[in-house]
Structures are given as C-alpha cells and as structure tokens.
Amino acid sequence: QCKKCAENGLNVIFPIIVVLAMIGFVIFLVWSTVVKRLGTQGTFHESDGAKKIFISYLQLTASVTAMDIPWPANYVAVFKAQALASSVGEEFIDVRCAMTDPATIASIEYGKVLVYALLPIILVCLSAGFWVYCGRCLNIPRAKRNATMTGTIVLLLYLLYPSITAKTLGLWKCHEMEGIGSIFVVDPEVLCDSRVHRLWQNAVGVPCILLYIIGLPLFAIILLYRFRHKLLEPNTCIRFGLLYDGFKTESYMHEFFVVLRKVLIIVIAIFEDKVQVLLCLGVVGMLLTHTVMTRPFQTEFLTRLEIFLLSCSFLTLW
C-alpha cells in the first residue's frame, strides 16, 4: 500500500513539531507525577490515580493499530493521537518522507528497533545527569534528589514500555506466502528466514525481550514486593508511586494485570492473523471481569473510571 508524504518542507518541520510536543508532554508528566510529590511528601491524590488510568487506557487502545484490521481512516487518526499522548512513539513521524536518498523499508525499521533498544539507557542517563545537576544547583537534599531521579526514570520507562514491546515483537511479524516463504510484513521484499533478518532478531530482538519486555515488569514486581511495607513512606511514593497510584495497599501488585493486557493485545496483533479481534475481546473482557471482581482501587470513583474505560476499549474492538 502506498503512503503519501506531506508537501515539501513539511516533511521535516512537522516531525520536529511532534517531537517538541512529545517532550513538552513528558516534562508536564514528570512535573505533575514526580516533582509535585516533593511538596506533598508523597501524599496520594485521587487525580494521580485517574491520570494513570487514562494513560493506561490510551496505551491499550493505541496498541490496536498493530492489528491487521481495515480501520476507518478517522479511527486510525484517533489511535495515533492516543499513542502520541500516552507513550514515546513515532506514530506521526515517517523517516522516509524526510530522506533525500532512498532507503529500504526494512533498513529503516531495523534502525527504529535499534533506537528503541538504546532509548531506555539514554533516558536513564539523561534523567540521572539532569537531577544530579539540578539537585546540586537547587540544594535539594540527596535523599529527595535520588528519589525524584528514580521516579522520573520509572515514569519514562512506563511511557516507553508499550512502544518498545510493539517495535521489538514487530521483528517477528511475518506472513507465509506459498512458493516464496515467510516474508517480513513491514517490508515484503525481505524474507524472515534471511541471514540479515535473523541477525537482527537474535542480536537486538531477543535481548530486548529479555531485558525490557520481560525484565522491566519482573524488576518492578520485585521492587514493589521488597518495599511492600513502606509503600506509604514519602520517598517510596516519590520513587515508585506511579506503579501503585490509586490501588489499595493489599492490591499494590495490580499494575501487573494492567501491563499484562497491553502485552497480550500486542502479542495477539503480531502473532495472530485469523481471529485477532475475538482474542483481544477475550483478553479485555477477562481483565475487565477481574477488575470488577477484585475492585483494587482506593476509591469508588477510580473503580468506576477503570471499568468505564475498559468497557470503552471492549466496545471499540466489538
């Protein structure tokens, strides 16, 4: 399918505007989610839980763009806007339109996967450097400075996680064609059994799966379990509060189920091409039922908001 680029001059300007908008939105989230906790000593506000529920909903709904469904154009535009507002993605940026020399689709896709593989490390280093420098300039106590730095890293990885998952697993999005073999869906001129593609899968894809897709949620679970008796302490709230904002103390692990539904939707979209919608309906329906039965949120308002937004996701798929 051909994709029309914008008029000359907009191919570079528009991506720059999108990137600046993303940076501004991330800065706002860091300020409202992490920095504000310093003044409130980590006190939970209902708005914190509502904000996280909305971000999770946007990430979940945006992940359906990976499915092989002929969505109407206006639906796709809404999904892309949701992805832009809830994760660090490149939904409105097409590198090929900004290039003067032609390049294969596969080579650009491999480059994107490599960027996503390195992005968490870059963001961790930038966050650490920023808070060390600003903390010293503003004379922020070391304990609070370290807590804020950790909270910023947790937020950035939380926003980046769905994009990393989709982009990494996308290396395995192949389609078997009779007489030709398994072709790479992103670039049908590349065979998934080719030496170069296998090299990218094994050298970049597999480490990303182990380190990020599996490693990050597992590491978060271990941290929450380790600090389970200190969840209400100010420093713990500043560092890891995003992972359990709005949940009851005994349901502090509920974020695992939130991450699970995002990953399952992406996995279904990439590895299944026959009954994608039915499987996604089943995943959303079961996790919606789980939320209704466990009611893990501190307030009734947050519970109703989560149920309402999950129902919206279910109806969108239906």
Side-chain angles (χ1 to χ4, degrees):
Q1 202 175 55
C2 292
K3 182 178 180 181
K4 186 178 180 180
C5 292
E7 297 295 331
N8 291 333
L10 292 179
N11 294 335
V12 177
I13 296 175
F14 186 66
I16 292 175
I17 295 174
V18 171
V19 169
L20 292 176
M22 289 171 58
I23 293 174
F25 185 71
V26 170
I27 291 174
F28 168 75
L29 285 179
V30 170
W31 174 79
S32 62
T33 305
V34 181
V35 178
K36 281 183 67 176
R37 292 183 189 270
L38 287 174
T40 60
Q41 296 297 312
T43 304
F44 165 74
H45 296 284
E46 197 172 51
S47 59
D48 296 326
K51 179 172 53 183
K52 192 180 73 168
I53 290 174
F54 271 111
I55 291 175
S56 296
Y57 162 72
L58 294 176
Q59 290 178 336
L60 177 66
T61 309
S63 63
V64 302
T65 54
M67 300 169 65
D68 295 324
I69 296 175
W71 296 103
N74 53 350
Y75 274 57
V76 175
V78 171
F79 293 153
K80 287 184 176 181
Q82 291 175 339
L84 181 66
S86 60
S87 60
V88 184
E90 24 73 49
E91 283 71 20
F92 284 100
I93 303 174
D94 196 323
V95 179
R96 284 167 289 168
C97 289
M99 297 179 67
T100 54
D101 297 325
T104 63
I105 300 174
S107 62
I108 294 175
E109 191 67 19
Y110 296 149
K112 290 180 181 179
V113 175
L114 183 60
V115 169
Y116 275 105
L118 297 176
L119 198 53
I121 301 173
I122 295 172
L123 291 178
V124 168
C125 294
L126 289 176
S127 300
F130 174 81
W131 282 113
V132 168
Y133 175 77
C134 289
R136 290 175 179 174
C137 293
L138 300 175
N139 293 321
I140 300 176
R142 186 172 181 177
K144 288 188 176 181
R145 184 178 66 201
N146 291 340
T148 308
M149 178 180 67
T150 304
T152 302
I153 293 172
V154 170
L155 171 63
L156 293 177
L157 293 179
Y158 185 87
L159 295 175
L160 192 61
Y161 183 80
S163 296
I164 292 179
T165 303
K167 192 58 66 176
T168 300
L169 296 181
L171 288 174
W172 280 268
K173 191 173 179 62
C174 302
H175 181 71
E176 190 70 30
M177 294 196 68
E178 186 177 353
I180 298 177
S182 181
I183 64 168
F184 188 31
V185 173
V186 177
D187 187 351
E189 294 184 355
V190 174
L191 292 177
C192 289
D193 296 330
S194 66
R195 184 182 61 84
V196 174
H197 192 77
R198 289 295 186 190
L199 179 63
W200 278 95
Q201 285 180 332
N202 296 327
V204 180
V206 173
C208 284
I209 291 175
L210 297 176
L211 185 62
Y212 299 139
I213 300 177
I214 297 175
L216 287 179
L218 184 62
F219 187 58
I221 290 173
I222 293 172
L223 281 176
L224 288 178
Y225 182 78
R226 179 182 175 185
F227 289 90
R228 64 189 183 281
H229 301 304
K230 301 179 181 179
L231 296 179
L232 300 180
E233 293 184 3
N235 274 354
T236 306
C237 290
I238 295 171
R239 286 187 289 178
F240 311 120
L242 178 69
L243 300 177
Y244 57 89
D245 268 343
F247 299 144
K248 299 175 183 176
T249 305
E250 62 273 16
S251 301
Y252 68 95
M253 287 286 191
H254 184 73
E255 186 64 29
F256 168 77
F257 295 98
V258 177
V259 172
L260 180 64
R261 66 193 183 210
K262 300 173 191 175
V263 173
L264 288 178
I265 294 294
I266 294 173
V267 168
I268 291 170
I270 291 174
F271 294 103
E272 175 57 49
D273 58 354
K274 299 296 183 183
V275 288
Q276 286 182 340
V277 178
L278 292 177
L279 290 175
C280 289
L281 279 171
V283 168
V284 175
M286 285 189 294
L287 292 173
L288 171 59
T289 304
H290 175 264
T291 301
V292 172
M293 294 178 63
T294 58
R295 307 187 81 82
F297 294 93
Q298 292 183 13
T299 65
E300 187 63 24
F301 166 76
L302 293 178
T303 300
R304 291 177 180 176
L305 180 63
E306 175 80 342
I307 293 173
F308 172 73
L309 292 179
L310 280 176
S311 300
C312 287
S313 297
F314 184 89
L315 291 174
T316 299
L317 290 167
W318 180 76

